[in-house]
């Protein structure tokens, strides 16, 4: 969802959006609120954005910033499970799915259990389109 919000205290706004979805649609979720600058920073931070295929490289936006040990656990637990490449980020996990996300064992649930927070992923192509629309 793209929107403008005059007073944007991003911490409170994410909780407010999650509350509205739960209240109106009875769906327990979270909102990964990011400004245009934060999306641009996520692209710049990704070690895979300019080397992998845009449709296979994702930014998994997280609801919190995991401790470095949690990222280490995720990477260790994923070793040998697939060809995916992982890199920690700022409230994000950078992923190159290499062969595609469809058959990957690196699921949102697998990630959430190790990092201790939920996330939602978008591929590089989608993030670039979102940034363009925010202009």
């Amino acid at each position: 969802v793209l929107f403008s919000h005059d007073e944007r205290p991003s911490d409170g706004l994410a909780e407010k959006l999650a509350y509205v979805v739960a209240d109106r649609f009875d769906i327990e979720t979270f909102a990964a609120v990011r400004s245009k600058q934060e999306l641009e920073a996520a692209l710049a931070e990704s070690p895979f954005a300019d080397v992998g295929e845009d449709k296979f490289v994702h930014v998994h936006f997280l609801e919190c910033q995991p401790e470095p040990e949690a990222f280490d656990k995720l990477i260790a637990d994923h070793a040998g499970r697939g060809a995916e490449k992982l890199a920690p980020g700022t409230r994000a996990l950078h992923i190159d799915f290499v062969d595609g996300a469809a058959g990957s064992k690196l699921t949102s649930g697998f990630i959430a259990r190790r990092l201790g927070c939920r996330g939602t992923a978008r591929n590089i192509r989608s993030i670039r389109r979102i940034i363009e629309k925010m202009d």
Side-chain angles (χ1 to χ4, degrees):
V1 175
L2 300 177
F3 63 91
S4 295
H5 192 275
D6 293 333
E7 298 173 30
R8 191 186 168 279
S10 59
D11 292 339
L13 187 54
E15 285 80 12
K16 181 178 180 180
L17 291 170
Y19 172 80
V20 169
V21 171
D23 185 56
R24 301 253 170 96
F25 303 105
D26 199 30
I27 298 172
E28 292 297 323
T29 189
F30 78 101
V33 177
R34 301 295 191 273
S35 68
K36 179 182 177 190
Q37 294 76 23
E38 289 169 318
L39 291 175
E40 291 169 337
L43 281 181
E45 178 182 69
S46 173
F48 314 121
D50 294 324
V51 293
E53 288 188 54
D54 284 357
K55 63 184 179 182
F56 295 154
V57 175
H58 288 67
V59 177
H60 193 80
F61 296 100
L62 302 171
E63 66 180 324
C64 68
Q65 179 64 47
E67 295 295 325
E69 298 80 20
F71 281 118
D72 292 343
K73 178 167 179 43
L74 171 65
I75 292 168
D77 288 355
H78 179 263
R81 291 178 56 94
E84 299 86 3
K85 299 174 189 171
L86 308 174
T90 305
R91 289 191 312 148
L93 172 66
H94 300 283
I95 307 168
D96 183 347
F97 280 99
V98 183
D99 298 321
S104 175
K105 294 179 183 175
L106 185 64
T107 64
S108 290
F110 183 88
I111 294 168
R113 284 188 296 278
R114 277 126 186 114
L115 296 184
C117 61
R118 297 173 289 181
T120 185
R122 298 295 178 271
N123 69 29
I124 297 299
R125 181 183 298 159
S126 295
I127 295 169
R128 288 187 175 132
R129 281 197 315 251
I130 292 167
I131 291 170
E132 286 175 14
K133 290 180 183 211
M134 293 173 95
D135 283 335

